[in-house]
Amino acid sequence: MRKIKVFDTTLRDGEQSPGCSMNLSEKLEMARQLDALGVDIIEAGFAIASPEDFKSVEAISQTVKNCKVASLARCTTGDIDAAWNAVKGARYPRIHVFIATSDIHMEYKLKMTREQVLESIAKHVAYAKAYCDDIEFSCEDASRSDWEFMSKCCETAIKAGATTLNIPDTVGYSTPQEMFDLITYLREHTPGIDSCDISAHCHDDLGMAVANSLACLRAGATQVECTLCGIGERAGNASLEEIVMALHTRREYYQMETNVVTTQIYKSCKLLSSITGVPISPSKSIVGANAFAHESGIHQHGVIANALTYEIMKSTDVGIPQNTMVLGKHSGKHALQDRLTQLGYEVSKEQLDEIFVRFKALADKKKNLTDRDIMALAMANSRITETHAYELAGHLVSTGNDITNVACVRIRKGEEIFEDAAIGSGPIYAAFTAVDKITGVGATLEDFSLNAVTDGEDAMGEAVVKLRFGDELYTGRGLSTDVIESSIRAYINGINKIVASKHSAD
Ligand code: KIV
Ligand code: ZN
């Protein structure tokens, strides 16, 4: 079996996709999970992009224990300085330097000739190498570049110290056969390439990112770049879970393996979805709600007779918990802690206390608590209970299609109780307006999403709001079996984050 390195770019290329931006603590939580998932390299961000990006890359570098941590840099000394300063605290730092090599990018974007691009590669890869042994070099828009010229670019990068050569299909234009031929060509025509890792980085504009990545691996690439749930620029990047499970399920065919702990896949994708508020499509391969569901009678009959008739993987292989009834309203803290541990959540005593309060509240409303409910509580906990300036103490809404929507909201702040009412075009908007009247924080609601995070009639709904205050975007979350309550909780959670950051700024 050939070992393939998995380079996860959820926190860089993935985070660039609309609606997927994350704050520092969310990125750290995601990075810890990626470490537990067993990816080999985490691309933590683009350090030069903003002071926040720099801080996140730096913090991830200091937190992550097992994986390498990379930061992206254009071919400029400023970018490389920032990348190095951000990753130098990592146990295994990497600088990822890139420049476009296609004629169209060089002429219109870079306004550079081929010779200038070659000089820039030699200069900047060597500059990065003076800081760090582990240097990745990418030919942006590789799949539309002239092969002979690209081979020269790779050779130049190798001579200057690159240890990984990345070949992106930046615009998702290529086909599997073309990517196979391109990697084969580079392997045959680039002196020194055998001493480097060859990496594939494919985008999904034509829906071929995973197929293209697998074709590169078959042609001899040793690293694959991907993101959880395939998030990324435009139509996204190749999806990590699809590539890993393709290699795992068809290992006899591919003769390749990765270090990814497949049972951590579901938890990782769910965490991402919960952080970004972007739901996982039910038909999403590997992790969608329907990925292992058999609806038709013929299929059900086959699966009952022998699961292999219609199942090529087991849901437990990717860590999807079984919908067994586990705990109820009479269960104690020990039972909850045991279940959390079995599901892979290590929680402190304080965290357990907080989860237990939510667990009891949920058990009062919901008869059967499944593993998925417990997972949702555990995942939500770390992000929902960050600040407590305002707490929802009660709410009442009156709603209808032919009548004004009215919401009355009661909020506790320390010992004080505040109450106010507002009207709105819908019950949720009315409730948010009532919260605004009480808190006086004038934030703008930029995004709102509501997703069922567990199954059944009494499923829990997680609301996510994105609030703009000044230049900053604050994410608030709320979880409840009542969607209006989860929405108000999310809104108050976002307001609390604004208040907390105003206090620390003061
Ligand atoms: O798609 C791309 O070309 C990239 C590079 C910066 C690696 O993301
Ligand atoms: Zn990309």
Side-chain angles (χ1 to χ4, degrees):
M1 292 279 162
R2 203 149 60 78
K3 187 55 86 56
I4 300 301
K5 293 180 181 151
V6 174
F7 177 109
D8 180 277
T9 182
T10 305
L11 295 171
R12 199 277 297 167
D13 219 332
E15 211 240 354
Q16 282 170 220
S17 61
C20 289
S21 53
M22 304 174 215
N23 62 30
L24 175 63
S25 68
E26 292 165 342
K27 283 186 186 170
L28 272 176
E29 191 175 0
M30 204 61 248
R32 280 194 208 99
Q33 180 55 33
L34 288 169
D35 207 17
L37 177 64
V39 305
D40 299 278
I41 303 110
I42 292 178
E43 186 163 50
F46 190 11
I48 193 81
S50 72
E52 286 69 38
D53 280 64
F54 181 91
K55 272 189 230 147
S56 323
V57 180
E58 190 180 40
I60 292 169
S61 301
Q62 286 158 6
T63 303
V64 156
K65 304 254 178 336
N66 307 305
C67 345
K68 299 183 177 181
V69 180
S71 177
L72 188 66
R74 287 165 298 189
C75 274
T76 72
T77 52
D79 275 36
I80 295 167
D81 290 342
W84 173 245
N85 285 324
V87 295
K88 67 184 176 199
R91 194 156 167 211
Y92 309 108
R94 170 178 292 191
I95 302 177
H96 178 187
V97 182
F98 78 100
I99 193 163
T101 52
S102 65
D103 288 336
I104 183 163
H105 275 234
M106 289 187 292
E107 182 178 346
Y108 293 100
K109 187 181 79 172
L110 299 177
K111 301 194 186 333
M112 285 166 82
T113 62
R114 288 186 175 193
E115 288 63 40
Q116 286 168 327
V117 166
L118 285 170
E119 274 167 31
S120 182
I121 294 170
K123 174 176 165 195
H124 293 103
V125 171
Y127 186 80
K129 188 74 179 182
Y131 282 134
C132 182
D133 262 350
D134 190 340
I135 302 295
E136 173 162 334
F137 170 72
S138 287
C139 301
E140 192 192 9
D141 205 16
S143 54
R144 293 192 299 169
S145 302
D146 176 79
W147 290 8
E148 206 182 322
F149 172 63
M150 205 180 359
S151 172
K152 273 213 189 73
C153 292
C154 290
E155 186 184 349
T156 308
I158 296 167
K159 283 196 182 129
T163 42
T164 301
L165 298 170
N166 184 33
I167 311 300
D169 182 22
T170 302
V171 289
Y173 177 75
S174 216
T175 68
Q177 187 62 51
E178 282 170 339
M179 288 309 280
F180 184 95
D181 293 343
L182 171 55
I183 300 290
T184 307
Y185 175 90
L186 290 173
R187 289 188 67 200
E188 282 169 0
H189 293 84
T190 312
I193 200 164
D194 287 342
S195 63
C196 292
D197 271 313
I198 303 175
S199 178
H201 175 115
C202 300
H203 280 267
D204 210 28
D205 299 67
L206 292 173
M208 290 193 277
V210 170
N212 284 342
S213 305
L214 292 169
C216 292
L217 295 178
R218 289 201 63 221
T222 47
Q223 174 179 292
V224 64
E225 308 204 351
C226 44
T227 59
L228 290 170
C229 298
I231 65 166
E233 279 278 347
R234 306 178 311 279
N237 289 58
S239 134
L240 179 146
E241 62 278 10
E242 292 174 24
I243 292 174
V244 167
M245 288 315 286
L247 295 181
H248 181 81
T249 308
R250 301 300 312 276
R251 52 191 170 276
E252 299 305 326
Y253 175 75
Y254 284 107
Q255 294 287 315
M256 297 172 209
E257 61 185 6
T258 69
N259 285 327
V260 168
V261 182
T262 61
T263 50
Q264 290 284 332
I265 285 179
Y266 181 73
K267 189 174 164 189
S268 308
C269 293
K270 277 297 227 191
L271 177 65
L272 176 71
S273 161
S274 158
I275 285 178
T276 57
V278 178
I280 299 176
S281 153
S283 56
K284 171 77 187 67
S285 320
I286 318 293
V287 289
N290 296 344
F292 292 92
H294 302 280
E295 186 73 19
S296 100
I298 296 173
H299 287 208
Q300 286 172 351
H301 176 221
V303 168
I304 291 165
N306 181 343
L308 293 178
T309 50
Y310 287 100
E311 276 184 7
I312 56 164
M313 301 169 267
K314 289 205 262 355
S315 57
T316 45
D317 286 351
V318 294
I320 297 182
Q322 301 304 292
N323 272 356
T324 46
M325 203 219 328
V326 280
L327 300 170
K329 78 194 248 183
H330 300 296
S331 309
K333 223 183 255 183
H334 276 303
L336 175 65
Q337 183 166 31
D338 270 2
R339 200 66 209 129
L340 284 166
T341 312
Q342 280 166 27
L343 290 170
Y345 294 92
E346 295 303 331
V347 291
S348 66
K349 190 184 162 315
E350 291 71 33
Q351 286 171 321
L352 178 64
D353 289 346
E354 289 191 28
I355 297 173
F356 191 63
V357 172
R358 289 172 189 282
F359 165 77
K360 281 287 179 189
L362 181 63
D364 269 341
K365 294 185 190 157
K366 196 173 177 188
K367 211 164 129 213
N368 298 339
L369 265 73
T370 63
D371 282 353
R372 289 190 189 205
D373 292 308
I374 308 294
M375 272 180 97
L377 284 175
M379 278 196 255
N381 184 65
S382 57
R383 277 157 288 116
I384 288 179
T385 55
E386 281 168 1
T387 52
H388 293 280
Y390 296 105
E391 270 180 84
L392 181 65
H395 71 280
L396 183 75
V397 295
S398 149
T399 181
N401 63 344
D402 212 9
I403 191 167
T404 312
N405 294 277
V406 187
C408 177
V409 176
R410 186 181 302 146
I411 287 182
R412 185 181 304 110
K413 186 179 184 200
E415 298 294 299
E416 287 178 284
I417 294 277
F418 303 89
E419 204 169 283
D420 217 322
I423 56 168
S425 50
I428 293 176
Y429 185 63
F432 289 178
T433 311
V435 174
D436 283 343
K437 283 166 109 181
I438 295 171
T439 61
V441 177
T444 312
L445 180 65
E446 283 217 347
D447 200 10
F448 169 70
S449 66
L450 191 56
N451 302 302
V453 287
T454 55
D455 309 318
E457 284 170 15
D458 48 6
M460 280 200 286
E462 188 180 46
V464 179
V465 298
K466 304 240 162 117
L467 300 178
R468 168 81 52 200
F469 188 78
D471 289 340
E472 298 287 329
L473 200 58
Y474 296 83
T475 307
R477 292 190 171 75
L479 193 65
S480 171
T481 48
D482 166 350
V483 292
I484 296 194
E485 182 180 323
S486 54
S487 306
I488 305 174
R489 285 191 181 283
Y491 196 73
I492 293 178
N493 182 239
I495 298 277
N496 278 336
K497 288 183 181 172
I498 296 175
V499 172
S501 94
K502 265 175 41 179
H503 279 168
S504 62
D506 289 347

